[in-house]
Amino acid sequence: MDLTPLYISLRASAYATVFAFILGTLAAWGVVHLQGKMRAAADGVFTLPLVLPPTVLGFFLLCIFGTKGFLGQVLLKTGIRIVFDWKGTVAAATVVAFPLVYRTVRASFEQIDKSILDAARTLGISEWKTFVCIMIPLARPGIAAGTILAFTRALGEFGATLMLAGDIPGKTETIPIAIWSAAYGGNMERALLWVVIIVAISFITITAMNILGQGTKRK
Protein backbone atom coordinates (compact mmCIF):
# COMPACT_ATOMS: atom_id res chain seq x y z
CA MET A 1 0.00 0.00 0.00
CA ASP A 2 1.26 3.47 -0.92
CA LEU A 3 1.65 5.44 2.30
CA THR A 4 2.40 8.73 0.55
CA PRO A 5 -0.94 10.31 1.62
CA LEU A 6 0.01 9.62 5.24
CA TYR A 7 3.36 11.36 4.88
CA ILE A 8 1.79 14.30 3.04
CA SER A 9 -0.94 14.69 5.66
CA LEU A 10 1.41 14.52 8.64
CA ARG A 11 3.88 16.92 7.06
CA ALA A 12 1.24 19.42 5.96
CA SER A 13 -0.55 19.22 9.32
CA ALA A 14 2.70 19.82 11.20
CA TYR A 15 3.51 22.93 9.17
CA ALA A 16 -0.10 24.15 9.39
CA THR A 17 -0.12 23.67 13.17
CA VAL A 18 3.03 25.77 13.54
CA PHE A 19 1.59 28.57 11.40
CA ALA A 20 -1.81 28.38 13.13
CA PHE A 21 -0.13 28.45 16.54
CA ILE A 22 1.86 31.59 15.73
CA LEU A 23 -0.92 33.45 13.94
CA GLY A 24 -3.66 32.32 16.32
CA THR A 25 -1.73 33.28 19.45
CA LEU A 26 -0.81 36.70 18.07
CA ALA A 27 -4.39 37.29 16.91
CA ALA A 28 -5.75 36.34 20.35
CA TRP A 29 -3.30 38.71 22.00
CA GLY A 30 -4.37 41.53 19.73
CA VAL A 31 -8.10 40.94 20.21
CA VAL A 32 -7.98 40.91 24.01
CA HIS A 33 -6.64 44.46 23.84
CA LEU A 34 -9.59 45.65 21.74
CA GLN A 35 -12.89 46.94 23.06
CA GLY A 36 -16.45 47.27 21.83
CA LYS A 37 -17.32 46.98 18.15
CA MET A 38 -13.71 46.66 17.05
CA ARG A 39 -13.32 43.58 19.20
CA ALA A 40 -16.56 42.05 17.95
CA ALA A 41 -15.61 42.68 14.33
CA ALA A 42 -12.11 41.25 14.72
CA ASP A 43 -13.46 38.20 16.53
CA GLY A 44 -15.98 37.65 13.75
CA VAL A 45 -13.30 37.79 11.05
CA PHE A 46 -10.96 35.41 12.87
CA THR A 47 -13.76 32.95 13.68
CA LEU A 48 -15.26 33.00 10.17
CA PRO A 49 -13.17 30.08 8.79
CA LEU A 50 -14.65 27.92 11.55
CA VAL A 51 -18.23 28.29 10.29
CA LEU A 52 -17.83 28.74 6.54
CA PRO A 53 -18.13 25.68 4.27
CA PRO A 54 -14.69 24.36 3.25
CA THR A 55 -15.53 24.89 -0.43
CA VAL A 56 -16.16 28.58 0.26
CA LEU A 57 -12.80 28.82 2.00
CA GLY A 58 -11.21 27.05 -0.94
CA PHE A 59 -12.77 29.55 -3.33
CA PHE A 60 -11.45 32.50 -1.31
CA LEU A 61 -8.01 30.92 -1.20
CA LEU A 62 -8.09 30.44 -4.96
CA CYS A 63 -8.95 34.11 -5.38
CA ILE A 64 -6.03 35.06 -3.13
CA PHE A 65 -3.34 32.62 -4.24
CA GLY A 66 -4.48 31.99 -7.83
CA THR A 67 -2.59 33.27 -10.83
CA LYS A 68 -5.01 36.22 -11.03
CA GLY A 69 -4.88 36.98 -7.32
CA PHE A 70 -2.64 39.77 -6.07
CA LEU A 71 -0.79 37.60 -3.56
CA GLY A 72 -0.58 34.74 -6.05
CA GLN A 73 1.05 36.98 -8.66
CA VAL A 74 3.55 38.28 -6.13
CA LEU A 75 4.48 34.77 -5.02
CA LEU A 76 4.83 33.52 -8.59
CA LYS A 77 7.37 36.27 -9.30
CA THR A 78 9.46 34.86 -6.46
CA GLY A 79 9.07 31.32 -7.75
CA ILE A 80 6.59 30.20 -5.09
CA ARG A 81 3.52 28.34 -6.33
CA ILE A 82 0.55 27.65 -4.03
CA VAL A 83 -2.25 26.41 -6.31
CA PHE A 84 -2.03 22.70 -7.21
CA ASP A 85 1.11 22.39 -5.14
CA TRP A 86 1.98 20.84 -1.79
CA LYS A 87 2.17 24.32 -0.30
CA GLY A 88 -1.53 24.66 -1.07
CA THR A 89 -2.31 21.81 1.33
CA VAL A 90 -0.44 23.70 4.05
CA ALA A 91 -2.24 26.97 3.28
CA ALA A 92 -5.69 25.33 3.34
CA ALA A 93 -4.96 23.40 6.54
CA THR A 94 -3.62 26.53 8.22
CA VAL A 95 -6.76 28.53 7.45
CA VAL A 96 -9.14 25.91 8.85
CA ALA A 97 -6.97 25.21 11.91
CA PHE A 98 -6.32 28.84 12.80
CA PRO A 99 -9.71 29.57 14.49
CA LEU A 100 -9.28 26.67 16.92
CA VAL A 101 -6.00 28.07 18.19
CA TYR A 102 -7.33 31.62 18.21
CA ARG A 103 -10.51 30.93 20.19
CA THR A 104 -8.87 28.59 22.70
CA VAL A 105 -5.94 30.92 23.35
CA ARG A 106 -8.16 34.00 23.51
CA ALA A 107 -10.34 32.33 26.16
CA SER A 108 -7.20 31.47 28.15
CA PHE A 109 -5.91 35.04 27.92
CA GLU A 110 -9.25 36.39 29.12
CA GLN A 111 -9.08 34.19 32.24
CA ILE A 112 -5.75 35.68 33.36
CA ASP A 113 -6.08 37.94 36.41
CA LYS A 114 -5.81 41.49 35.08
CA SER A 115 -4.17 42.65 38.29
CA ILE A 116 -1.10 40.59 37.38
CA LEU A 117 -0.86 42.31 34.00
CA ASP A 118 -1.45 45.74 35.56
CA ALA A 119 1.32 45.08 38.08
CA ALA A 120 3.71 44.18 35.25
CA ARG A 121 2.90 47.40 33.42
CA THR A 122 3.34 49.39 36.63
CA LEU A 123 6.83 47.95 36.96
CA GLY A 124 7.62 49.24 33.48
CA ILE A 125 7.54 45.90 31.65
CA SER A 126 6.71 46.36 27.97
CA GLU A 127 3.57 44.88 26.44
CA TRP A 128 5.64 42.44 24.39
CA LYS A 129 7.57 41.16 27.42
CA THR A 130 4.31 40.91 29.36
CA PHE A 131 2.89 38.84 26.53
CA VAL A 132 5.88 36.51 26.23
CA CYS A 133 6.91 36.19 29.88
CA ILE A 134 3.54 36.34 31.67
CA MET A 135 0.55 35.75 29.41
CA ILE A 136 1.89 32.80 27.44
CA PRO A 137 3.11 30.83 30.51
CA LEU A 138 -0.18 31.42 32.33
CA ALA A 139 -2.21 30.41 29.27
CA ARG A 140 -0.03 27.39 28.50
CA PRO A 141 -2.76 24.73 29.02
CA GLY A 142 -5.13 26.54 26.67
CA ILE A 143 -2.39 27.09 24.11
CA ALA A 144 -1.46 23.40 24.22
CA ALA A 145 -5.10 22.31 23.83
CA GLY A 146 -5.69 24.70 20.94
CA THR A 147 -2.54 23.55 19.18
CA ILE A 148 -3.47 19.88 19.46
CA LEU A 149 -7.00 20.57 18.21
CA ALA A 150 -5.51 22.55 15.33
CA PHE A 151 -3.37 19.56 14.35
CA THR A 152 -6.33 17.19 14.27
CA ARG A 153 -8.40 19.70 12.29
CA ALA A 154 -5.59 20.23 9.79
CA LEU A 155 -5.20 16.47 9.45
CA GLY A 156 -8.86 16.08 8.49
CA GLU A 157 -9.12 19.02 6.08
CA PHE A 158 -10.66 18.06 2.75
CA GLY A 159 -12.79 20.61 0.88
CA ALA A 160 -10.50 23.64 0.86
CA THR A 161 -7.48 21.44 0.16
CA LEU A 162 -9.18 19.79 -2.81
CA MET A 163 -10.08 23.15 -4.34
CA LEU A 164 -6.74 24.84 -3.73
CA ALA A 165 -4.21 22.01 -4.08
CA GLY A 166 -6.22 19.47 -6.07
CA ASP A 167 -5.91 15.69 -6.04
CA ILE A 168 -2.40 14.98 -7.30
CA PRO A 169 -1.15 11.53 -6.17
CA GLY A 170 2.21 11.72 -4.49
CA LYS A 171 2.07 15.51 -4.23
CA THR A 172 -1.18 16.89 -2.77
CA GLU A 173 -3.19 13.74 -2.02
CA THR A 174 -3.80 13.82 1.73
CA ILE A 175 -5.55 11.08 3.70
CA PRO A 176 -9.07 12.64 3.39
CA ILE A 177 -8.58 13.06 -0.36
CA ALA A 178 -7.27 9.49 -0.60
CA ILE A 179 -10.44 8.30 1.18
CA TRP A 180 -12.62 10.27 -1.24
CA SER A 181 -10.71 8.98 -4.28
CA ALA A 182 -10.83 5.37 -3.13
CA ALA A 183 -14.53 5.50 -2.27
CA TYR A 184 -15.36 7.31 -5.52
CA GLY A 185 -13.46 4.66 -7.47
CA GLY A 186 -15.26 1.83 -5.69
CA ASN A 187 -12.24 0.64 -3.69
CA MET A 188 -14.03 0.55 -0.36
CA GLU A 189 -11.40 -1.59 1.37
CA ARG A 190 -8.69 0.99 0.67
CA ALA A 191 -11.01 3.78 1.79
CA LEU A 192 -11.81 1.92 5.01
CA LEU A 193 -8.13 1.36 5.74
CA TRP A 194 -7.41 5.10 5.42
CA VAL A 195 -10.41 5.84 7.62
CA VAL A 196 -9.05 3.55 10.32
CA ILE A 197 -5.63 5.21 10.09
CA ILE A 198 -6.91 8.78 10.39
CA VAL A 199 -9.32 7.85 13.19
CA ALA A 200 -6.46 6.18 15.09
CA ILE A 201 -4.20 9.21 14.71
CA SER A 202 -6.97 11.60 15.77
CA PHE A 203 -7.90 9.42 18.75
CA ILE A 204 -4.29 9.22 19.95
CA THR A 205 -3.92 12.99 19.58
CA ILE A 206 -7.11 13.81 21.49
CA THR A 207 -6.20 11.29 24.20
CA ALA A 208 -2.81 12.94 24.57
CA MET A 209 -4.55 16.30 24.97
CA ASN A 210 -6.81 14.91 27.72
CA ILE A 211 -3.85 13.37 29.56
CA LEU A 212 -1.97 16.66 29.28
CA GLY A 213 -4.98 18.51 30.67
CA GLN A 214 -5.29 16.14 33.64
CA GLY A 215 -1.60 16.50 34.41
CA THR A 216 -1.90 20.28 34.37
CA LYS A 217 -4.88 20.23 36.75
CA ARG A 218 -2.99 18.04 39.24
CA LYS A 219 -0.13 20.53 39.29
Side-chain angles (χ1 to χ4, degrees):
M1 181 179 176
D2 183 14
L3 295 177
T4 304
L6 175 61
Y7 303 142
I8 294 174
S9 290
L10 291 177
R11 186 184 176 195
S13 298
Y15 275 94
T17 302
V18 172
F19 292 139
F21 163 76
I22 296 173
L23 297 174
T25 303
L26 291 175
W29 178 49
V31 169
V32 295
H33 287 85
L34 298 177
Q35 299 293 334
K37 294 181 179 179
M38 287 292 294
R39 181 169 183 167
D43 183 69
V45 172
F46 292 144
T47 307
L48 202 57
L50 192 64
V51 297
L52 286 177
T55 50
V56 175
L57 292 176
F59 177 79
F60 283 135
L61 290 174
L62 278 175
C63 292
I64 295 172
F65 294 110
T67 55
K68 295 183 179 180
F70 172 75
L71 189 54
Q73 292 178 351
V74 173
L75 291 175
L76 282 176
K77 290 180 180 179
T78 61
I80 300 175
R81 182 182 179 87
I82 300 297
V83 179
F84 299 123
D85 188 87
W86 177 81
K87 301 179 188 68
T89 63
V90 177
T94 300
V95 170
V96 299
F98 165 84
L100 293 175
V101 177
Y102 160 72
R103 292 193 65 84
T104 306
V105 175
R106 193 205 70 188
S108 298
F109 283 165
E110 290 174 343
Q111 292 177 2
I112 296 175
D113 190 347
K114 292 184 179 180
S115 63
I116 298 176
L117 304 180
D118 292 337
R121 297 187 184 101
T122 302
L123 293 173
I125 301 176
S126 66
E127 288 293 334
W128 177 251
K129 286 187 177 180
T130 301
F131 169 63
V132 174
C133 300
I134 298 177
M135 295 183 69
I136 288 183
L138 290 176
R140 185 173 55 185
I143 293 175
T147 303
I148 293 174
L149 288 174
F151 175 80
T152 57
R153 181 63 187 90
L155 188 69
E157 166 50 30
F158 171 73
T161 301
L162 187 62
M163 290 195 66
L164 184 64
D167 179 12
I168 306 176
K171 190 174 182 181
T172 65
E173 187 183 37
T174 59
I175 293 178
I177 294 178
I179 295 172
W180 173 77
S181 298
Y184 188 78
N187 192 344
M188 301 306 292
E189 292 182 357
R190 179 180 173 84
L192 179 60
L193 182 57
W194 281 121
V195 167
V196 171
I197 290 175
I198 196 170
V199 168
I201 296 174
S202 300
F203 176 77
I204 292 172
T205 306
I206 296 299
T207 302
M209 182 185 70
N210 292 332
I211 293 175
L212 179 64
Q214 291 176 359
T216 303
K217 289 180 179 179
R218 290 173 184 174
K219 293 180 181 180

